[in-house]
Amino acid sequence: MANFKGHALPGSFFLLFGLWWSIKYPLLYFWRKNRSGGHVQLNPDSQRLDLIEGVVKVVFSIVGILAEQFVPDGPHLHLTQGEGHSWFKLMNWQHSTMYLFYGISGVVDILTISPLGVPLGLDRLMLSVAVFIEGFLFYFHVHNRAPLDVHIHSLLLIAVFGGAFSILLEVFQRDHFVLELFRSSLAILQGTWFWQIGFVLFPPGGGTAWDESDHDNIMFITMCFCWHYATALLIMALNYALVWCCVRRCADRTGADLELGRLMKSSKNTSQKALLQESDEE
Amino acid sequence: MANFKGHALPGSFFLLFGLWWSIKYPLLYFWRKNRSGGHVQLNPDSQRLDLIEGVVKVVFSIVGILAEQFVPDGPHLHLTQGEGHSWFKLMNWQHSTMYLFYGISGVVDILTISPLGVPLGLDRLMLSVAVFIEGFLFYFHVHNRAPLDVHIHSLLLIAVFGGAFSILLEVFQRDHFVLELFRSSLAILQGTWFWQIGFVLFPPGGGTAWDESDHDNIMFITMCFCWHYATALLIMALNYALVWCCVRRCADRTGADLELGRLMKSSKNTSQKALLQESDEE
Amino acid sequence: MANFKGHALPGSFFLLFGLWWSIKYPLLYFWRKNRSGGHVQLNPDSQRLDLIEGVVKVVFSIVGILAEQFVPDGPHLHLTQGEGHSWFKLMNWQHSTMYLFYGISGVVDILTISPLGVPLGLDRLMLSVAVFIEGFLFYFHVHNRAPLDVHIHSLLLIAVFGGAFSILLEVFQRDHFVLELFRSSLAILQGTWFWQIGFVLFPPGGGTAWDESDHDNIMFITMCFCWHYATALLIMALNYALVWCCVRRCADRTGADLELGRLMKSSKNTSQKALLQESDEE
Amino acid sequence: MANFKGHALPGSFFLLFGLWWSIKYPLLYFWRKNRSGGHVQLNPDSQRLDLIEGVVKVVFSIVGILAEQFVPDGPHLHLTQGEGHSWFKLMNWQHSTMYLFYGISGVVDILTISPLGVPLGLDRLMLSVAVFIEGFLFYFHVHNRAPLDVHIHSLLLIAVFGGAFSILLEVFQRDHFVLELFRSSLAILQGTWFWQIGFVLFPPGGGTAWDESDHDNIMFITMCFCWHYATALLIMALNYALVWCCVRRCADRTGADLELGRLMKSSKNTSQKALLQESDEE
């Protein structure tokens, strides 16, 4: 859907996932750090979260595919048209294909938890493939358009391929907190940038269109992309701080009686670790 | 051989290897997982499989080289022609070169098992080099052709270089199941895509040729490539499920009397591991 | 600031950081090596150094942003201009954006030491992002300029993206001395190259301008870039030797009485390690 | 030196190093494998070999620099010329710069063995940088030349940048035998390809020059590059087999009396390892 809604829809999906991840991963991180002390009562069942995430991914993908196919000017599942069998509404078909791969990624997420014994890391690989396919299709998507249109989509590709690469690393470095945060920030960036593309190319409410061949506009958009990422980092930082506060408050409320025991335990561990490190370094 | 058969032949080779790998690696994976319990009677002798694979690779390569050289319009081992010593049938020579490197990879596979002490990982490196050489030759292959021809071969390059990179990773992460599955899926993709190229550029049975400069055709082919990969993933999933079922049935039939022992053993191990993990995380 | 000062300012920042790192990391390296013997009295409080570094980074960034905004011909925080709301002084805004990300990197450096529990590696990731953003903005910066101008900035990009990649590796290989030295050398290279750009494009003191489309100038500048790196390596080597001498002298002065104990300890460790290695290799 | 000798000289250097490495690394590999049994009497003092290698590298670099500067049509250390201070013989200066970085790499090789405590891995990083600089200079070297000239140098770049990347990996995976073999093969490839460039662009003995814009020549050269690599692999294999034979013969002659002891030892180790593996996999 080459209109405002066609960019707002995927933008919202990415934004939702990015925001969700920016809360989920710090939560899991603090939970892992504190588990041995028995403090935190939140105890997010990590597997159940992954299951829900997979289901939501599949649902979003189906919504996306249906929206692309059955909007009034959509292809309604027809791939060719007329007597010459010329291709019909390929744009919408390409978008459907993008959603399809996110759907596959969601299915693999679900299978990973199933008793089929799907190996860990396959879910990350499939997510990486889905993001790569998105970038791949976008790359050939913007042929023969106005310079600003090409440029604004090229910037998206940086977030997309950066994300695909970062998620690929997670195949080998699973549960690497820094990579998870990076992935979250790129998802937020993608989300807000899809909205930005919508606002620039299809100004809603009948605003004046941008001059798509003005070099100054291109320079501004380049910089604007950086500002979006700075904003994404700010949102990440706020969510992180929020989670940190919540976890601390929870811990304070429930943990007073357990504190003494934990402290003794942790100090014992620390001294053991110090000993180990010393002997390593000698 | 710039005709339908010249694409169907390598396509079939890749498809065969891809399908074989998509069965072999899950089998080895389940076998490794269950070995300690003594359940599975399949017990594939991994070394013998590798040997057979190497021999098949060498045979396929020789078939490929001979086919390229001795088809009626082939170079019949002549590199130059006429008085001016102009180059003769370079296309077929390039294809022969591609097969040659797959042959070398097969030889290294065989040597790895020999008593020569060839280090593990060299077989993967040589396979990666063979795939890279294929991509390298294709890259300079499609100079000065119609846009659709160039594009459909460029798409192949994504599968090829992706495969070369993924196999290179296997040098360092040998027996990484996710990488092995990824390699299998890319081999299937290459195989089906070679067939697709044959159908598009040289429609068999005298079908109407595609308009090679129509932008819509290029857009469709781009998307079609993604569908091929989705199909490859589906085939992989089916084969995986098939292997899973077979392994389970085998295990059920033979393993009833061994079950108790295994369970006790595994539960003991699990509790030991849990203890170890707990002490790690503290 | 498209003038000499606008290149000398960031050049000095990078040069200062590069020189500082080329002293700091060897110092930490020798300190780590000798710690167990209790020799070196320098004992640099590594955390305090990181804190100071973060604060200096933030200060430099603020200085850079203010300089770009409030020089006489700067935008004075105005983004648009006139009735048509055309963009105003985007060059300066882009430079401000570059400084902003180094500022963010500095803030993350500081937070890493705070009790917020920011994970190790995030500081490196943010530095890598900041360097990448710098390269990203420069890449789109030099559109439509003279060949020499484009080329001299492209060379900078090699140092910039090389640095971003190298720092990204540090996320996974923290405290890898070779990577730290490499980062230092690239920072020095960037610093001196910014000065070189200033001298070439805006000759101070009214020198004659270079012919910006002469191919020989481009060839010389390419080679000159290599010479800058050779110089950077020489500076690194001198600083390394300097630190080595200082550490040895310090050790000699204070360590005479501790020597015997350390020697006995280290020889004991060495023999233990030799034993361990032998059993590993068998 | 844009003539046959100017390509034969570096070609011979690379070829010598490649051949030497293709013997050295298998030797070290077998030596490491067999050391515990006390069999092999060759016992190459690895450190002394590295020292000699470093010195030879430095000597070759000085020879290269002097040859480039003081051939009859060389710049004789003059960088500018005439009144206009136009650049003088930049080609030769660029080649000198390439040799300079190999010289630096040689110096770091030597320093690594010195008591200065230069960290392991720095020698590999500097070699990687030297190879990268070579590729970097070649990349901007071939501007505005005939298509065949550009193409034949571009092919060289694949060997060069592949080598630089592979050596960079060795910073993190030191003594990885497969990477060492790969490096050796690429060095041989570079060596023979430099000779090939010489023969194509400056046919010695007054042979007829190649038509530098004939597309068929370009296609042949592309394929020829692959054949060079196949030849390099063959040479590697022969040298490997040679070393394997020598090591076995040596071992047979001297080791008869030690055999029994070793066998008992190794069989003991093997059974221990098998036990360890079993418990790992459970």
Side-chain angles (χ1 to χ4, degrees):
Chain A
M1 293 177 286
N3 54 32
F4 183 76
K5 280 184 199 159
H7 288 89
L9 189 74
S12 308
F13 289 167
F14 284 112
L15 200 53
L16 268 174
F17 263 90
L19 290 174
W20 161 234
W21 285 340
S22 74
I23 290 172
K24 173 191 167 194
Y25 289 116
L27 212 59
L28 285 174
Y29 172 68
F30 288 118
W31 176 64
R32 269 184 241 137
K33 263 177 107 174
N34 292 325
R35 199 172 49 164
S36 55
H39 262 209
V40 188
Q41 302 301 317
L42 298 165
N43 198 328
D45 191 347
S46 174
Q47 280 221 330
R48 189 171 299 170
L49 285 183
D50 286 354
L51 184 67
I52 295 171
E53 230 181 272
V55 172
V56 171
K57 247 192 238 173
V58 173
V59 170
F60 277 10
S61 305
I62 293 171
V63 168
I65 292 172
L66 294 179
E68 289 289 344
Q69 290 288 337
F70 297 106
V71 285
D73 62 339
H76 295 264
L77 297 178
H78 294 288
L79 187 57
T80 54
Q81 179 199 38
E83 285 190 18
H85 291 288
S86 64
W87 304 113
F88 187 49
K89 304 264 174 202
L90 282 180
M91 223 52 153
N92 294 50
W93 276 102
Q94 287 207 347
H95 294 154
S96 300
T97 305
M98 290 184 207
Y99 286 116
L100 173 66
F101 275 86
Y102 281 103
I104 292 174
S105 160
V107 170
V108 174
D109 281 8
I110 296 167
L111 288 179
T112 302
I113 307 160
S114 78
L116 259 164
V118 175
L120 284 176
L122 200 64
D123 48 350
R124 295 291 188 271
L125 182 70
M126 278 304 113
L127 184 55
S128 176
V129 165
V131 177
F132 178 83
I133 294 277
E134 188 202 340
F136 165 76
L137 285 171
F138 265 117
Y139 180 80
F140 292 109
H141 204 63
V142 290
H143 207 71
N144 285 330
R145 303 226 203 141
L148 182 66
D149 195 344
V150 170
H151 188 65
I152 208 168
H153 278 96
S154 305
L155 294 176
L156 187 65
L157 288 186
I158 291 176
V160 170
F161 286 123
F165 177 69
S166 153
I167 298 167
L168 187 65
L169 288 179
E170 284 190 65
V171 174
F172 306 99
Q173 298 262 333
R174 203 186 173 77
D175 296 326
H176 194 289
F177 186 37
V178 174
L179 282 178
E180 290 168 344
L181 288 178
F182 190 48
R183 165 156 53 101
S184 317
S185 72
L186 288 176
I188 296 176
L189 175 62
Q190 259 205 70
T192 60
W193 197 247
F194 262 113
W195 278 88
Q196 180 79 48
I197 296 179
F199 276 107
V200 169
L201 299 185
F202 313 99
T208 54
W210 291 44
D211 179 356
E212 298 206 2
S213 53
D214 181 8
H215 185 63
D216 262 13
N217 278 339
I218 289 180
M219 271 185 77
F220 172 73
I221 279 297
T222 309
M223 187 170 55
C224 184
F225 185 70
C226 298
W227 293 356
H228 272 257
Y229 193 57
T231 313
L233 291 179
L234 186 68
I235 294 171
M236 297 282 301
L238 291 178
N239 280 354
Y240 187 94
L242 200 79
V243 170
W244 185 74
C245 286
C246 288
V247 168
R248 271 189 69 102
R249 192 166 300 170
C250 270
D252 286 352
R253 227 179 279 160
T254 55
D257 47 338
L258 292 160
E259 191 72 346
L260 192 67
R262 197 186 69 88
L263 274 176
M264 285 171 69
K265 209 168 178 179
S266 81
S267 70
K268 207 174 94 191
N269 286 325
T270 312
S271 55
Q272 281 177 343
K273 270 188 194 156
L275 278 169
L276 282 167
Q277 281 181 346
E278 233 173 335
S279 58
D280 271 346
E281 280 156 353
E282 276 174 22
Chain B
M1 293 178 287
N3 55 32
F4 183 76
K5 280 184 199 160
H7 288 90
L9 188 74
S12 308
F13 289 167
F14 283 112
L15 201 52
L16 269 174
F17 263 90
L19 290 174
W20 160 234
W21 286 339
S22 74
I23 290 172
K24 173 191 166 194
Y25 288 116
L27 211 59
L28 286 174
Y29 172 69
F30 287 119
W31 176 63
R32 267 184 242 138
K33 263 178 105 175
N34 291 327
R35 201 172 50 166
S36 56
H39 262 207
V40 187
Q41 302 301 317
L42 299 165
N43 198 329
D45 190 347
S46 173
Q47 280 220 330
R48 189 172 298 169
L49 286 182
D50 286 354
L51 184 67
I52 295 170
E53 230 181 271
V55 171
V56 171
K57 245 192 239 174
V58 173
V59 170
F60 276 11
S61 305
I62 293 172
V63 169
I65 291 172
L66 293 178
E68 288 289 343
Q69 290 288 336
F70 297 106
V71 285
D73 62 339
H76 295 264
L77 297 179
H78 293 288
L79 188 57
T80 54
Q81 180 199 37
E83 284 189 18
H85 290 288
S86 65
W87 304 113
F88 187 49
K89 305 263 174 205
L90 282 181
M91 223 51 154
N92 294 50
W93 275 102
Q94 287 207 347
H95 294 155
S96 300
T97 305
M98 290 184 208
Y99 285 116
L100 173 66
F101 274 86
Y102 280 103
I104 292 174
S105 160
V107 170
V108 174
D109 281 8
I110 296 167
L111 287 179
T112 302
I113 307 159
S114 77
L116 259 165
V118 175
L120 284 176
L122 200 65
D123 49 350
R124 296 290 188 271
L125 182 69
M126 278 304 113
L127 183 56
S128 175
V129 165
V131 177
F132 178 83
I133 294 276
E134 188 202 340
F136 165 75
L137 285 171
F138 265 116
Y139 179 80
F140 292 108
H141 205 62
V142 290
H143 206 70
N144 284 329
R145 304 224 203 141
L148 183 66
D149 195 343
V150 170
H151 187 66
I152 207 168
H153 278 96
S154 305
L155 294 176
L156 187 66
L157 288 186
I158 291 175
V160 170
F161 286 123
F165 177 70
S166 152
I167 298 167
L168 187 65
L169 288 179
E170 285 191 64
V171 174
F172 307 99
Q173 298 263 332
R174 202 185 174 79
D175 296 326
H176 194 289
F177 186 38
V178 175
L179 282 177
E180 290 168 343
L181 288 177
F182 190 49
R183 164 154 55 101
S184 317
S185 72
L186 288 176
I188 296 176
L189 174 63
Q190 259 204 72
T192 60
W193 196 247
F194 262 114
W195 279 88
Q196 179 77 49
I197 296 177
F199 275 107
V200 169
L201 299 184
F202 314 99
T208 53
W210 292 44
D211 179 355
E212 298 206 2
S213 53
D214 181 8
H215 186 62
D216 262 13
N217 278 340
I218 288 180
M219 271 185 78
F220 172 72
I221 280 296
T222 308
M223 187 169 55
C224 185
F225 184 71
C226 299
W227 293 356
H228 273 256
Y229 194 58
T231 313
L233 291 179
L234 186 67
I235 294 171
M236 296 283 300
L238 291 178
N239 279 355
Y240 187 95
L242 201 79
V243 171
W244 185 75
C245 287
C246 288
V247 168
R248 272 190 67 103
R249 191 166 301 171
C250 271
D252 286 352
R253 228 179 277 158
T254 56
D257 46 339
L258 291 160
E259 191 73 346
L260 192 66
R262 197 187 71 87
L263 274 177
M264 285 171 70
K265 209 170 178 179
S266 81
S267 70
K268 206 173 96 189
N269 285 326
T270 312
S271 55
Q272 280 177 343
K273 271 189 193 155
L275 277 169
L276 281 167
Q277 281 180 345
E278 233 174 331
S279 59
D280 271 347
E281 280 157 352
E282 276 173 23
Chain C
M1 293 177 286
N3 55 31
F4 183 76
K5 279 185 199 159
H7 288 89
L9 188 75
S12 308
F13 289 165
F14 283 112
L15 200 53
L16 268 175
F17 262 90
L19 291 174
W20 160 235
W21 285 340
S22 74
I23 291 173
K24 173 190 167 194
Y25 289 116
L27 212 60
L28 286 173
Y29 172 68
F30 287 119
W31 177 64
R32 267 184 242 137
K33 262 178 107 174
N34 291 326
R35 199 172 50 163
S36 55
H39 262 208
V40 187
Q41 302 301 318
L42 298 165
N43 198 328
D45 191 346
S46 173
Q47 280 220 331
R48 189 171 298 171
L49 287 182
D50 286 354
L51 184 65
I52 294 170
E53 231 182 273
V55 171
V56 171
K57 245 191 238 173
V58 172
V59 170
F60 277 12
S61 305
I62 293 172
V63 168
I65 292 173
L66 293 179
E68 288 289 343
Q69 290 288 337
F70 297 106
V71 285
D73 63 338
H76 296 264
L77 297 179
H78 293 288
L79 187 57
T80 54
Q81 181 198 36
E83 284 189 19
H85 290 289
S86 65
W87 304 112
F88 187 49
K89 304 265 174 201
L90 281 180
M91 224 49 154
N92 294 50
W93 275 102
Q94 287 206 346
H95 293 155
S96 299
T97 305
M98 290 183 207
Y99 286 115
L100 172 67
F101 275 86
Y102 281 103
I104 292 174
S105 160
V107 170
V108 174
D109 281 9
I110 296 167
L111 286 179
T112 303
I113 307 160
S114 77
L116 259 165
V118 174
L120 285 176
L122 199 65
D123 48 350
R124 295 290 189 273
L125 181 69
M126 277 304 113
L127 184 55
S128 175
V129 165
V131 177
F132 179 82
I133 294 277
E134 189 201 339
F136 165 77
L137 284 171
F138 265 116
Y139 179 80
F140 292 108
H141 203 63
V142 290
H143 206 71
N144 284 329
R145 303 224 204 141
L148 182 66
D149 195 344
V150 170
H151 187 65
I152 208 168
H153 278 96
S154 305
L155 294 176
L156 187 67
L157 288 186
I158 292 176
V160 170
F161 285 123
F165 177 69
S166 152
I167 297 168
L168 187 65
L169 288 179
E170 285 191 65
V171 174
F172 306 100
Q173 297 262 332
R174 202 184 174 79
D175 296 327
H176 194 289
F177 187 37
V178 175
L179 282 178
E180 290 168 343
L181 288 177
F182 190 48
R183 164 155 55 102
S184 316
S185 72
L186 288 176
I188 295 176
L189 174 63
Q190 259 205 69
T192 61
W193 196 247
F194 262 113
W195 279 88
Q196 179 79 48
I197 296 178
F199 276 107
V200 169
L201 299 184
F202 313 98
T208 55
W210 292 44
D211 178 356
E212 299 207 1
S213 53
D214 181 10
H215 185 62
D216 262 14
N217 278 339
I218 288 179
M219 271 185 76
F220 172 72
I221 279 296
T222 309
M223 187 170 55
C224 184
F225 184 71
C226 299
W227 293 356
H228 273 257
Y229 193 58
T231 313
L233 291 179
L234 186 68
I235 294 170
M236 296 282 300
L238 291 178
N239 280 354
Y240 187 93
L242 200 80
V243 170
W244 185 75
C245 287
C246 288
V247 167
R248 271 190 70 102
R249 192 166 299 170
C250 270
D252 286 351
R253 228 180 277 160
T254 56
D257 47 337
L258 292 159
E259 192 71 347
L260 191 68
R262 196 186 70 87
L263 275 176
M264 285 171 68
K265 209 167 178 180
S266 80
S267 70
K268 207 174 94 189
N269 285 327
T270 311
S271 55
Q272 281 177 344
K273 271 188 192 156
L275 278 168
L276 282 167
Q277 280 179 347
E278 235 175 331
S279 58
D280 270 348
E281 280 155 353
E282 275 173 24
Chain D
M1 294 177 287
N3 55 31
F4 183 75
K5 281 184 199 159
H7 288 89
L9 188 75
S12 308
F13 289 166
F14 283 112
L15 201 52
L16 269 175
F17 262 90
L19 291 174
W20 160 234
W21 285 340
S22 75
I23 291 172
K24 174 190 165 193
Y25 288 116
L27 212 60
L28 286 174
Y29 172 68
F30 287 120
W31 176 64
R32 266 184 244 139
K33 263 178 105 174
N34 289 326
R35 200 170 52 163
S36 56
H39 262 209
V40 188
Q41 302 300 319
L42 299 166
N43 198 329
D45 190 346
S46 173
Q47 280 220 331
R48 190 171 296 170
L49 286 182
D50 286 354
L51 184 66
I52 295 170
E53 230 181 272
V55 171
V56 171
K57 243 190 239 174
V58 173
V59 170
F60 276 12
S61 304
I62 293 172
V63 168
I65 292 173
L66 293 178
E68 289 289 342
Q69 290 288 336
F70 296 107
V71 285
D73 62 338
H76 294 265
L77 297 179
H78 294 289
L79 188 57
T80 54
Q81 182 198 36
E83 285 189 18
H85 291 288
S86 65
W87 304 113
F88 186 50
K89 304 263 175 204
L90 281 181
M91 225 49 155
N92 293 51
W93 275 103
Q94 287 207 346
H95 294 154
S96 299
T97 305
M98 290 184 207
Y99 285 116
L100 173 67
F101 275 86
Y102 281 103
I104 292 174
S105 159
V107 169
V108 173
D109 281 9
I110 297 167
L111 287 179
T112 303
I113 307 160
S114 77
L116 258 164
V118 175
L120 285 175
L122 199 64
D123 48 350
R124 296 289 189 272
L125 181 69
M126 277 304 113
L127 184 56
S128 175
V129 165
V131 177
F132 178 83
I133 293 277
E134 188 202 341
F136 165 76
L137 284 171
F138 265 116
Y139 179 80
F140 292 108
H141 204 63
V142 290
H143 206 71
N144 284 329
R145 303 225 204 140
L148 183 66
D149 194 343
V150 170
H151 187 64
I152 207 168
H153 279 97
S154 305
L155 294 176
L156 187 66
L157 289 186
I158 291 175
V160 170
F161 286 123
F165 177 70
S166 152
I167 298 167
L168 187 65
L169 288 179
E170 285 190 65
V171 174
F172 306 99
Q173 298 262 331
R174 202 185 174 79
D175 297 326
H176 194 289
F177 187 37
V178 174
L179 282 178
E180 289 168 344
L181 289 177
F182 189 49
R183 164 155 55 101
S184 316
S185 72
L186 288 176
I188 296 176
L189 175 63
Q190 258 205 70
T192 61
W193 196 248
F194 262 113
W195 278 88
Q196 180 77 48
I197 296 179
F199 275 107
V200 169
L201 300 184
F202 314 98
T208 54
W210 293 44
D211 179 355
E212 299 207 0
S213 53
D214 181 9
H215 186 63
D216 262 13
N217 278 339
I218 288 179
M219 271 186 77
F220 172 73
I221 279 295
T222 309
M223 186 170 55
C224 185
F225 185 72
C226 299
W227 293 357
H228 273 256
Y229 193 59
T231 314
L233 291 179
L234 186 68
I235 294 170
M236 296 283 300
L238 291 178
N239 280 355
Y240 187 94
L242 201 79
V243 170
W244 184 76
C245 288
C246 287
V247 168
R248 272 190 67 103
R249 191 165 300 170
C250 270
D252 286 351
R253 226 179 278 160
T254 56
D257 47 337
L258 292 159
E259 190 73 345
L260 190 68
R262 196 186 71 88
L263 275 177
M264 286 171 67
K265 207 168 177 181
S266 81
S267 71
K268 208 175 93 190
N269 285 327
T270 312
S271 56
Q272 281 177 343
K273 272 190 193 155
L275 276 169
L276 281 167
Q277 281 178 346
E278 234 176 331
S279 58
D280 271 346
E281 279 156 354
E282 275 174 24

